[in-house]
Amino acid sequence: MYRTHTCGELRMQNTGEEVTLSGWTDAKRDFGQLTFIDLRDRYGITQLVFDMDAQPELCNEARKIGREWVLLIKGIVRERSNKNPNRPTGEIEIDVFTLQVLNASKVPPFTIEENTDGGEEIRMKYRYLDIRRAPVKEKIIFRSKVAIETRKHLAEHGFIEIETPYLIKSTPEGARDFVVPSRMNPGQFYALPQSPQTFKQLLMVAGMDKYFQIVKCFRDEDLRADRQPEFTQIDCEMAFVVKEDILQTFEQLTRHLYKTVMGVELSDFPRMTYDEAMRRYGSDKPDLRFGMEFIELNDLAKGRGFPVFDQAELVVGISAKGQANKFSNKDIKKLTSWLQRPQIGAKGLVHVKWNEDGTIKSSVGKFFSDEQLKGWLEAMHARPGDMLLILAGDADPTRKQLSELRLEMAERMNLLDSKVVKPLWVIDFPLLEWDEDSQRFHAMHHPFTSPRKEDIELLNSSDRAVLSSIKADAYDLVINGAEIGGGSIRIHDRKIQMKTFHLLGFTDEEAESQFGFLMGAFEYGAPPHGGIAFGLDRLCAIMQGEKSIRDYIAFPKNNQGRDVMIDAPSPIDPDQLDELSLSLNLPIE
Amino acid sequence: MYRTHTCGELRMQNTGEEVTLSGWTDAKRDFGQLTFIDLRDRYGITQLVFDMDAQPELCNEARKIGREWVLLIKGIVRERSNKNPNRPTGEIEIDVFTLQVLNASKVPPFTIEENTDGGEEIRMKYRYLDIRRAPVKEKIIFRSKVAIETRKHLAEHGFIEIETPYLIKSTPEGARDFVVPSRMNPGQFYALPQSPQTFKQLLMVAGMDKYFQIVKCFRDEDLRADRQPEFTQIDCEMAFVVKEDILQTFEQLTRHLYKTVMGVELSDFPRMTYDEAMRRYGSDKPDLRFGMEFIELNDLAKGRGFPVFDQAELVVGISAKGQANKFSNKDIKKLTSWLQRPQIGAKGLVHVKWNEDGTIKSSVGKFFSDEQLKGWLEAMHARPGDMLLILAGDADPTRKQLSELRLEMAERMNLLDSKVVKPLWVIDFPLLEWDEDSQRFHAMHHPFTSPRKEDIELLNSSDRAVLSSIKADAYDLVINGAEIGGGSIRIHDRKIQMKTFHLLGFTDEEAESQFGFLMGAFEYGAPPHGGIAFGLDRLCAIMQGEKSIRDYIAFPKNNQGRDVMIDAPSPIDPDQLDELSLSLNLPIE
């Protein structure tokens, strides 16, 4: 037997007991007479003591032990003289009488500590050592708790977890699929699912109301920072529901998770239409932990002879509280350059400082009188000490630029408190998005999203503006400016689905060959239905106020999609390729 | 709102209430004055009534409705005059006053009933309709319950569910991998995991003791009946454990599942070594619901001048209770032919009938006296009326043939009671299996399985017989003759792992390139560890006494590995192939 207790378990009431523990050597301290070893396992750390006077041989053995060696010890629990109040086992220690080395360890390539000295790349290669570090270990355990509570809550509310297949069919719509060649069907391929979307809809047609699944999804995209080729979704679908049913259900789930895992009671989940979110925050996932709402100045700023404003479709700004004296001209210049980087693409930045002494300073002072600027300040509810930051140009890009600026200012002004949780439902997204490059509409959510009932008739229009105005019965849950998930009421009528495919540029044949099975199913009594999916990795990170999802994943891939620990992907045997009726067609170097 | 209640919810105490229900038209019965519709959803069936006298227009609408149409109705709950005690809602019906057709349905290609008229192939194609049938629906819900209770039990016992990656590395060892070409790494491939084996071992090295996961696994094998290319495992691993800890833990899990999901209390889980199982039952997964143990007759039957026996390594038989007068000579001939089919490959069958009148009849009566045959009957604890069935030949194949015969006889004698549950741990499997074709050893379990402690020294032998005698610290859970799962204590020492790879024919380089990451991890403080995996699909089928796993899978593939509903696998775009640096290399027709 390797242990009678874990390393996180022993307390004062165990003193005098003979115990067996196993674990890793977290730290060792040699003093003249005594040697201390901190023995660590998943559950905690317990201090071991070896006494040179009492048991010189044993103590000498202990002194040979290195970091991360795996030990089995037997000893007697006793009270510590020098207690450690920061450790649950800190009141006791083990007076060891038997020591067995279960496995030695080379010196780890980085320190196994809260704050390690190892860089990203080396920690990825030795992920199994990085996971021994408390911050990583705790994130993985946190994720497990979120998954358990999700399942518990949904099962209690009548949801059934149903597994959908991983070997499915490739469709060119949406992101790029990972494909899997079929040996038994030469020249044919499975695809790995980007989501179980069509299967969960088929489950609704099948009468399996209230489906959920915590499920891996796959996207072969060029990886941006913090994107993973495989990621996990909490995926749900319900039949005989309207939007309101789904929002209520997943608001409850979110409350349950925050309450049980974080001990946080969430207040209200306000709703905001997509149009309003864009107008007030320039974003479909506004961070509501702080204000700095957009104020439009077209009426006050245009037609006064300042060409930049006069030619702009939109003049819009934010008021940064108490920032007037914090930004020198040089700082403003830097901020302007930051805005002009291609990633943001603003043309310039107009500012108005309302100094504490009542004076007004602006980069457009030549064009506007103090009186006029005062009008702006009033419109933007500014007070002395505040600074207006104003952008102008075409409405959509200008709003997006100002949204970036709003977030940047919040960061600088320390307004992003990770302890504050501000959820928001964004609703009524546009159904279609015009793509200038391909000169066709794309589905903003996905092709199975239903228009709002009142907009269904508009699908018959051939006017691009009318089609662009159609709103989808779609919704996103946003927390602190991050999208946790989204969903929609789905189309459940073959004709409407076909019409949507046509608008997205599908021919009848393409629609039939790719999604014929779904449209066929709609002819056999498809119920009204809808659903939602939350990103589990992202949800965990947001709940803990972390920016990166990577440590919530036990074995993540790097930005090149590689697992550097196991060295995958890697070449395969020529025989394997032959069996798959494939040959490599590598670019000539 | 689509419903105030589900179709399985209303009872006598709801009479008088106004309700809204939605669901499918399960059946319709038109009488002179009344029309009845059975409205069905996931939760049950409720009877609707339409009265031609009271509401002729509504009743005429109802008469137009076809099978599987989706309806929304409003009405008043009332007591039925003609109650149906077989249905939970059978005491009430709904007097409908509003009827809305939510969706029509074509006539389904097979009947949506307990016993359908649809063949296998058509039901696979319209799987979403087949799932509406109660037997399929209930199996999927059953599986969901097994998964929930598994998670609940393991979480309560300190296990953490951790997701391991699906895009991993291909290894030629074991079954064939499905591979996934990497676009970002041309010429390189991921593999889909056959199991999370190496990752769960790395989690043990990482200190994440007590891991579990309910996880999809993939094997590109030529499909036999009831094999699926993707299947689901309950996968577990623990650190600082010996075999006994694991057997106890998963015996508890199995008890918990039978108790909570089936209401069945399991009695003992006996253990039997592999050698004993082979000797007594000719199988490493003996069905213990019935006896018919093997009795070896070498001492009594050899050296008596019957050449078949004299030349045989083993003479072994079973005694079939009360079967003496049930098998005519013709029946015996048929049974012999059945045994001689290539799938079984027996050379012949010797029988001895002990008739009720005390006379003895045998196919080898010429070679053996009644006295001698009596000796056999006694050795096999036979009584008048019983029949001995005896095979002879090389020991291993003869035992396997007799095992098939034992099961066949049990089937014919109606001894396979699906209500009886007989679990068994088979332990001490051979570590290595000699393969005549490739003239090398294979791992009987997998290459990471540890020999029993007492056998580790034998790894140094170069004698094939000695190596064949090494026992692994491996175990299988068998229930009613089906393997539910298996596992082992793993190697956690680099040197022993490398030695095992050598015995399996790996060169140093091969071992390093394929499993270097794991052997590397063993050098950084790998703890002793072991684990187990249960097949979830199989477990569900065994629990319910079903032979096929297929209906426990929502969307199974057929025997050619195809999903005939969505028509996958299928050809992909030439552009997709180009992006993957691949070209097809199809066999010329």
Side-chain angles (χ1 to χ4, degrees):
Chain A
M1 200 185 44
Y2 286 103
R3 57 188 173 196
T4 54
H5 298 77
T6 70
C7 295
E9 199 174 348
L10 295 167
R11 299 286 184 278
M12 275 299 285
Q13 68 257 33
N14 301 102
T15 49
E17 288 178 27
E18 184 182 320
V19 297
T20 305
L21 299 183
S22 288
W24 286 264
T25 306
D26 194 66
K28 194 184 59 165
R29 296 174 298 281
D30 294 325
F31 298 101
Q33 188 201 332
L34 297 175
T35 284
F36 295 96
I37 286 180
D38 282 344
L39 195 68
R40 183 193 70 231
D41 66 9
R42 188 189 119 194
Y43 312 91
I45 292 179
T46 298
Q47 177 166 293
L48 315 177
V49 197
F50 301 83
D51 189 323
M52 189 59 90
D53 288 352
Q55 304 207 52
E57 208 170 314
L58 194 70
C59 192
N60 275 321
E61 280 306 305
R63 287 187 182 188
K64 288 181 202 149
I65 283 164
R67 278 196 285 143
E68 300 305 317
W69 287 33
V70 187
L71 311 180
L72 180 154
I73 63 96
K74 291 176 197 289
I76 308 289
V77 184
R78 72 180 186 202
E79 187 173 357
R80 261 167 89 159
S81 52
N82 184 15
K83 292 185 180 159
N84 179 349
N86 299 320
R87 192 178 279 176
T89 63
E91 294 195 303
I92 58 95
E93 63 191 6
I94 313 293
D95 184 12
V96 176
F97 59 77
T98 301
L99 166 66
Q100 185 188 343
V101 174
L102 294 175
N103 217 340
S105 172
K106 295 208 280 195
V107 176
F110 50 87
T111 55
I112 312 292
E113 287 169 358
E114 186 101 7
N115 293 305
T116 179
D117 58 356
E120 182 74 19
E121 197 65 15
I122 189 102
R123 286 189 289 122
M124 289 280 276
K125 185 166 162 61
Y126 295 90
R127 183 70 172 175
Y128 48 85
L129 296 180
D130 207 21
I131 294 175
R132 288 188 196 160
R133 294 172 52 236
V136 182
K137 179 184 83 174
E138 279 155 19
K139 286 197 182 77
I140 291 172
I141 294 176
F142 179 87
R143 178 202 182 93
S144 164
K145 279 187 200 151
V146 172
I148 285 174
E149 288 299 333
T150 298
R151 287 193 162 98
K152 198 173 139 193
H153 181 85
L154 290 175
E156 275 168 9
H157 287 76
F159 284 81
I160 300 175
E161 186 159 20
I162 302 175
E163 292 174 57
T164 51
Y166 279 102
L167 297 172
I168 66 164
K169 182 170 165 163
S170 187
T171 56
E173 182 68 12
R176 212 184 272 105
D177 286 326
F178 282 106
V179 296
V180 182
S182 166
R183 181 181 52 88
M184 292 211 281
N185 304 273
Q188 301 191 16
F189 294 76
Y190 303 99
L192 299 178
Q194 296 185 29
S195 92
Q197 182 62 36
T198 50
F199 286 96
K200 67 178 176 172
Q201 291 192 242
L202 289 170
L203 284 172
M204 295 306 104
V205 179
M208 297 301 282
D209 181 26
K210 290 198 173 180
Y211 142 94
F212 87 101
Q213 192 181 188
I214 298 185
V215 63
K216 273 281 175 75
C217 301
F218 304 85
R219 267 178 220 174
D220 183 12
E221 288 177 302
D222 296 321
L223 299 176
R224 298 197 303 245
D226 221 30
R227 276 268 183 113
Q228 290 282 324
E230 47 178 310
F231 54 98
T232 305
Q233 266 183 205
I234 303 170
D235 191 56
C236 303
E237 197 80 3
M238 303 164 80
F240 302 116
V241 288
V242 293
K243 176 181 69 192
E244 193 55 34
D245 300 303
I246 295 176
L247 300 197
Q248 290 293 347
T249 304
F250 291 89
E251 187 170 320
Q252 273 180 42
L253 170 65
T254 310
R255 281 180 194 287
H256 175 83
L257 293 177
Y258 268 90
K259 190 170 170 185
T260 52
V261 186
M262 302 289 294
V264 169
E265 293 272 3
L266 295 187
S267 57
D268 56 330
F269 280 58
R271 285 125 195 238
M272 192 181 287
T273 65
Y274 172 87
D275 286 347
E276 186 182 349
M278 294 308 290
R279 195 164 35 77
R280 290 171 60 188
Y281 301 99
S283 167
D284 59 359
K285 36 179 192 278
D287 191 334
L288 297 193
R289 284 176 293 177
F290 59 97
M292 285 205 277
E293 276 190 39
F294 291 11
I295 305 284
E296 302 188 358
L297 296 175
N298 278 16
D299 291 348
L300 296 172
K302 287 181 66 163
R304 308 295 196 277
F306 178 48
V308 173
F309 284 2
D310 290 349
Q311 287 153 25
E313 187 186 354
L314 178 69
V315 181
V316 59
I318 54 174
S319 170
K321 229 178 168 40
Q323 300 300 303
N325 65 351
K326 300 213 168 131
F327 280 76
S328 66
N329 283 345
K330 208 172 142 196
D331 294 333
I332 296 274
K333 242 188 201 158
K334 268 198 202 157
L335 195 61
T336 308
S337 309
W338 180 85
L339 277 166
Q340 288 170 331
R341 289 173 314 143
Q343 298 96 305
I344 300 188
K347 297 228 175 71
L349 170 66
V350 168
H351 74 276
V352 182
K353 286 183 184 174
W354 193 358
N355 295 316
E356 293 283 359
D357 62 7
T359 59
I360 295 174
K361 278 227 162 171
S362 172
S363 48
V364 290
K366 294 196 272 194
F367 297 94
F368 297 92
S369 67
D370 272 14
E371 200 58 32
Q372 287 172 321
L373 295 177
K374 201 100 184 211
W376 300 5
L377 290 162
E378 259 167 40
M380 296 179 75
H381 313 293
R383 317 188 104 260
D386 296 353
M387 176 172 67
L388 308 189
L389 297 168
I390 298 165
L391 300 181
D394 288 344
D396 288 353
T398 302
R399 288 195 175 108
K400 279 180 191 153
Q401 292 151 14
L402 190 60
S403 169
E404 297 285 345
L405 181 58
R406 175 177 174 265
L407 291 172
E408 174 68 18
M409 290 304 292
E411 181 88 47
R412 293 182 185 210
M413 293 159 71
N414 267 324
L415 300 175
L416 301 176
D417 183 348
S418 70
K419 293 259 153 54
V420 176
V421 186
K422 286 289 182 189
L424 172 72
W425 287 109
V426 178
I427 59 173
D428 292 351
F429 280 80
L431 182 73
L432 303 165
E433 223 177 357
W434 183 257
D435 183 59
E436 281 297 335
D437 292 343
S438 56
Q439 285 288 304
R440 66 175 186 89
F441 279 113
H442 286 279
M444 189 146 189
H445 195 60
H446 56 52
F448 314 108
T449 299
S450 176
R452 289 188 312 183
K453 242 185 196 152
E454 55 268 43
D455 290 0
I456 286 184
E457 273 311 304
L458 303 180
L459 289 174
N460 296 313
S461 171
S462 52
D463 179 334
R464 198 204 293 173
V466 171
L467 291 169
S468 295
S469 79
I470 298 174
K471 294 291 185 270
D473 213 349
Y475 31 81
D476 274 1
L477 178 61
V478 173
I479 295 180
N480 294 357
E483 184 197 324
I484 298 301
S488 62
I489 297 299
R490 325 298 184 186
I491 296 166
H492 65 282
D493 177 280
R494 185 190 172 99
K495 280 194 224 84
I496 296 175
Q497 186 65 72
M498 193 51 123
K499 196 169 285 170
T500 308
F501 281 132
H502 287 161
L503 288 174
L504 297 172
F506 283 71
T507 64
D508 276 1
E509 292 67 34
E510 284 165 352
E512 193 56 48
S513 86
Q514 288 169 39
F515 298 109
F517 62 96
L518 184 65
M519 289 189 288
F522 287 172
E523 297 183 309
Y524 288 98
H529 62 285
I532 198 166
F534 282 3
L536 177 60
D537 315 289
R538 172 102 18 232
L539 175 62
C540 290
I542 298 297
M543 285 178 80
Q544 294 205 309
E546 293 282 343
K547 284 205 174 133
S548 170
I549 62 170
R550 197 172 281 183
D551 280 347
Y552 294 92
I553 299 169
F555 299 102
K557 306 232 174 352
N558 74 7
N559 283 345
Q560 286 77 50
R562 295 198 70 83
D563 183 327
V564 295
M565 178 184 70
I566 63 170
D567 192 26
S570 58
I572 57 174
D573 254 29
D575 290 354
Q576 271 177 290
L577 279 175
D578 275 355
E579 275 196 327
L580 297 170
S581 308
L582 289 176
S583 51
L584 291 182
N585 200 2
L586 292 178
I588 294 151
E589 308 270 326
Chain B
M1 199 185 45
Y2 286 104
R3 58 187 173 196
T4 54
H5 298 77
T6 70
C7 296
E9 200 174 349
L10 295 168
R11 297 289 184 277
M12 275 300 284
Q13 68 258 34
N14 300 103
T15 49
E17 286 178 30
E18 184 181 321
V19 297
T20 305
L21 299 183
S22 290
W24 286 264
T25 306
D26 194 64
K28 194 184 60 165
R29 294 175 299 281
D30 295 325
F31 297 102
Q33 189 200 332
L34 298 174
T35 285
F36 295 96
I37 286 180
D38 281 345
L39 195 69
R40 183 193 69 231
D41 65 10
R42 188 191 118 195
Y43 312 92
I45 292 180
T46 299
Q47 175 166 295
L48 314 178
V49 197
F50 300 83
D51 188 323
M52 188 58 89
D53 289 351
Q55 304 207 53
E57 209 171 314
L58 193 69
C59 192
N60 276 322
E61 280 306 304
R63 288 188 180 186
K64 287 180 204 152
I65 283 166
R67 277 197 285 144
E68 300 305 318
W69 287 33
V70 188
L71 311 180
L72 180 155
I73 63 96
K74 290 177 198 291
I76 307 290
V77 183
R78 72 179 187 203
E79 187 173 357
R80 260 168 88 159
S81 52
N82 184 13
K83 293 185 179 157
N84 179 349
N86 300 320
R87 192 178 278 177
T89 64
E91 294 196 302
I92 57 94
E93 63 191 5
I94 314 293
D95 184 12
V96 176
F97 60 78
T98 302
L99 166 66
Q100 186 188 344
V101 174
L102 294 174
N103 217 340
S105 172
K106 295 208 279 194
V107 176
F110 50 85
T111 55
I112 311 292
E113 287 169 359
E114 187 101 7
N115 292 304
T116 180
D117 57 357
E120 183 73 19
E121 197 64 15
I122 189 100
R123 286 188 290 123
M124 290 282 274
K125 186 167 162 60
Y126 295 90
R127 183 68 173 175
Y128 47 86
L129 297 180
D130 207 22
I131 294 175
R132 287 190 197 159
R133 294 173 51 236
V136 182
K137 179 184 83 175
E138 279 154 20
K139 287 197 181 76
I140 292 171
I141 293 176
F142 179 87
R143 178 201 182 93
S144 164
K145 279 188 199 150
V146 172
I148 285 174
E149 288 299 332
T150 298
R151 288 194 161 99
K152 198 173 140 194
H153 181 85
L154 291 174
E156 274 168 9
H157 287 75
F159 283 81
I160 299 175
E161 187 160 20
I162 302 175
E163 293 174 57
T164 52
Y166 279 102
L167 296 172
I168 66 165
K169 183 170 165 162
S170 187
T171 56
E173 182 67 13
R176 212 183 271 106
D177 286 326
F178 281 106
V179 297
V180 182
S182 165
R183 182 181 52 88
M184 292 210 284
N185 303 274
Q188 300 192 17
F189 295 75
Y190 303 99
L192 300 178
Q194 296 184 29
S195 92
Q197 183 63 35
T198 50
F199 287 95
K200 66 178 178 172
Q201 292 193 241
L202 289 170
L203 284 172
M204 294 307 103
V205 178
M208 297 301 281
D209 180 26
K210 290 200 174 180
Y211 142 93
F212 87 102
Q213 190 181 190
I214 298 184
V215 62
K216 272 282 174 76
C217 301
F218 304 85
R219 265 176 222 175
D220 183 13
E221 288 177 304
D222 297 321
L223 299 177
R224 298 196 305 243
D226 222 30
R227 276 269 183 113
Q228 290 281 324
E230 46 178 310
F231 55 97
T232 304
Q233 268 184 205
I234 302 171
D235 191 57
C236 302
E237 197 80 3
M238 302 164 80
F240 302 116
V241 288
V242 292
K243 176 181 68 190
E244 193 54 33
D245 300 302
I246 296 176
L247 300 198
Q248 291 293 347
T249 304
F250 291 89
E251 187 170 319
Q252 273 179 42
L253 171 64
T254 310
R255 279 180 196 287
H256 175 82
L257 293 178
Y258 268 88
K259 190 171 169 184
T260 53
V261 187
M262 301 289 293
V264 170
E265 293 272 4
L266 295 187
S267 57
D268 55 331
F269 280 59
R271 284 124 195 241
M272 192 181 288
T273 66
Y274 172 87
D275 286 348
E276 187 183 348
M278 293 310 288
R279 195 163 36 75
R280 289 172 59 188
Y281 301 98
S283 167
D284 60 0
K285 37 180 191 279
D287 191 333
L288 298 192
R289 284 176 293 176
F290 59 97
M292 285 204 279
E293 276 190 39
F294 291 10
I295 305 285
E296 302 189 356
L297 297 174
N298 279 14
D299 291 347
L300 297 172
K302 287 181 66 162
R304 307 294 196 278
F306 179 48
V308 174
F309 285 1
D310 290 350
Q311 288 152 26
E313 186 185 354
L314 179 69
V315 181
V316 59
I318 54 174
S319 170
K321 229 179 168 40
Q323 300 301 302
N325 65 353
K326 298 211 170 132
F327 280 75
S328 65
N329 283 345
K330 208 173 142 195
D331 294 333
I332 297 271
K333 243 187 200 158
K334 268 197 203 158
L335 194 62
T336 308
S337 309
W338 180 86
L339 277 166
Q340 288 170 331
R341 289 173 314 145
Q343 298 96 304
I344 301 188
K347 296 228 177 68
L349 171 67
V350 167
H351 75 275
V352 181
K353 285 184 184 172
W354 194 357
N355 295 315
E356 294 283 0
D357 64 6
T359 58
I360 295 173
K361 278 225 160 171
S362 171
S363 49
V364 291
K366 294 195 274 194
F367 298 94
F368 297 92
S369 67
D370 271 14
E371 200 59 32
Q372 287 171 321
L373 295 177
K374 201 98 184 210
W376 300 4
L377 288 163
E378 260 168 40
M380 296 178 75
H381 314 292
R383 316 188 105 257
D386 296 353
M387 176 172 67
L388 308 189
L389 297 167
I390 299 165
L391 300 180
D394 288 346
D396 287 354
T398 301
R399 287 196 175 107
K400 278 180 193 153
Q401 292 151 13
L402 190 59
S403 169
E404 297 285 346
L405 181 59
R406 176 177 175 266
L407 291 172
E408 174 68 17
M409 290 304 292
E411 180 89 46
R412 292 182 186 212
M413 292 161 71
N414 267 323
L415 300 176
L416 301 175
D417 183 347
S418 69
K419 293 259 154 50
V420 176
V421 186
K422 287 288 183 190
L424 172 73
W425 286 110
V426 178
I427 59 173
D428 292 352
F429 280 79
L431 184 72
L432 303 165
E433 224 177 355
W434 182 258
D435 183 59
E436 282 297 336
D437 292 344
S438 56
Q439 285 289 305
R440 67 173 186 89
F441 279 113
H442 287 278
M444 191 147 188
H445 195 58
H446 57 51
F448 315 109
T449 298
S450 176
R452 290 186 312 182
K453 243 184 193 151
E454 55 268 43
D455 291 359
I456 285 183
E457 272 312 304
L458 303 180
L459 288 175
N460 297 314
S461 170
S462 52
D463 179 333
R464 198 204 294 174
V466 171
L467 291 169
S468 296
S469 78
I470 298 175
K471 295 291 185 270
D473 214 349
Y475 31 80
D476 274 0
L477 178 61
V478 174
I479 295 181
N480 294 356
E483 184 196 325
I484 298 301
S488 61
I489 297 298
R490 326 298 184 185
I491 296 165
H492 64 282
D493 178 280
R494 186 191 171 98
K495 281 195 224 84
I496 296 176
Q497 185 66 71
M498 194 50 125
K499 196 168 287 169
T500 307
F501 282 133
H502 288 161
L503 288 174
L504 297 173
F506 283 71
T507 64
D508 276 1
E509 292 68 35
E510 285 165 349
E512 193 56 49
S513 85
Q514 287 169 39
F515 298 109
F517 63 95
L518 184 65
M519 289 188 290
F522 287 170
E523 296 182 311
Y524 289 99
H529 62 285
I532 198 166
F534 282 2
L536 177 60
D537 315 290
R538 173 108 11 238
L539 175 62
C540 290
I542 298 298
M543 285 178 81
Q544 294 204 309
E546 293 281 344
K547 285 206 171 130
S548 170
I549 62 170
R550 197 172 280 183
D551 279 346
Y552 294 92
I553 299 169
F555 299 102
K557 305 231 175 352
N558 74 8
N559 283 345
Q560 285 77 50
R562 296 197 70 83
D563 183 327
V564 294
M565 179 185 68
I566 63 170
D567 192 26
S570 58
I572 58 173
D573 253 28
D575 290 356
Q576 271 176 291
L577 279 174
D578 275 355
E579 275 195 330
L580 297 170
S581 309
L582 289 177
S583 50
L584 291 183
N585 200 1
L586 292 179
I588 293 151
E589 308 270 327

